[in-house]
Amino acid sequence: MKDEILCNFWRCYLQKSKQAYCKRPAGETVKALSVCESSTDVDSDPERPSLLHLLSLSESEGALQTDCSFASSVSKVSENTSVCSGSVDGSLYLVKNQKEKLRMTMPMTLSFCYMALLWVREPITLSELLRFVVEGHIPYLNVFEHFPENMRLCGLDLKIFCVESWPVYEEVFNKMHELAAFLDLPRFPDITESCFLHPDMLCMKYLMEANLPDELHNWTCRVVKKTGIGEVDFLTLMPGNKSTRKVKYDVLAAAVIIVVLKLLFLLDDHYEWLLSGIAEERNKNNTEEMVVNLQNQFGKLSGSVQRAEKPNPSSFQLSWSEENTDGSCFHGHSLKGILQEKHGLLTAMNPDYWLCTVKLCNEKLCGHLAHYREVEFPQSYHFVLGLFSFLLRIQPSYIHDEVCMIEHKLFNKKLSKKMKYNRVLRK
């Protein structure tokens, strides 16, 4: 909360929800307001400072406005209220009111953090932020145990700050977008090609994370450019704009890699057998057996070496040493075995591609662009989907949605021709 951007977001939230930084009739009791009430009432207040002004306030300037804050309501509490009963409005936060979608919760605190990180374009994705929570680098479960003595909680406040489950990606992501719209935030700083959250940059990170050859990055960049998902207007958050799609930057990058793997390897459970046969012929002169190579790789994944102390937070979960000569690192490996030169360009030897879905669903009505059922797809595709699902700690269906979206952008012209052709046949 000491960060200037995050702190000013927090002040805006308190003001918008009329919990602080607003004028209140002297005898009015503390109450929770719905999103609709707060958005109309606060906007009509002529003495309310603008959001952009709040974002530019320093810590000292912001502190001067607290005379009309939540503390003024606390002083109105009757004298017979016990100090150990908790905060004045603690009971209101425990009431399940459907209108109060943006009341403060522990997952909401992470939405605030992610919103601030996105505003300053820090090189941290939402999946990484949540992983730092699970790994204990960010206090979350029983967070009140980390509070100083003068902030000791009691009564109903303990239930507010006591959670029994880890945060869910979708909940934190959706709440962040609701929060940004509720605060009337302007367009976020542009996500350009030099930004860490750009798919070209994130694809490079996840290719290293998944121990895939460097040459795949040329193909991911081609897919990003061809589909237009690297454009600034597509990537930059515009709060409250319902016409633009909410971008999950880490999920989008993983989906791009999967589409490239389908372009090159098909992932249909059959083409890989053909490629493995070709590889076997080429590796006949190699003295090491495949079994030893696999043992080396799974030995790394199993983490047999126990660390003496808790590791520092890292952007990478898996480490593949390029200096290692045992063949377990594929970063420097070539794709020449599955590529062919055609008109001066390297193209895939495999000319086929299968779509995950021919027609996308209405995401607003259905909740998903497509439906993912493991039994309906090849195991090779499911394996790759599961790998990135494990790395990002999200459901495979969310990555599958992004894969389907990219495929339809990539093959849009061919799909349009096919649909027109089918209509003619029906007639």
Side-chain angles (χ1 to χ4, degrees), residues 132-144:
F132 293 158
V133 170
V134 174
E135 292 177 351
H137 302 295
I138 300 175
Y140 190 77
L141 295 181
N142 299 327
V143 67
F144 57 87

Side-chain angles (χ1 to χ4, degrees), residues 110 123-138 140 166-167 169 196 205-206 209 250 307 310-318 390-394:
L110 296 178
I124 299 178
T125 62
L126 177 55
S127 58
E128 286 176 336
L129 177 67
L130 300 185
R131 176 165 61 86
F132 293 158
V133 170
V134 174
E135 292 177 351
H137 302 295
I138 300 175
Y140 190 77
W166 297 115
Y169 186 104
F196 176 81
K205 166 186 159 51
Y206 291 125
E209 183 88 69
D250 39 12
R307 291 175 177 169
K310 184 179 180 180
N312 293 325
S314 172
S315 181
F316 291 92
Q317 300 179 69
L318 306 177
F390 164 76
L391 292 176
L392 301 182
R393 299 170 187 259
I394 60 173

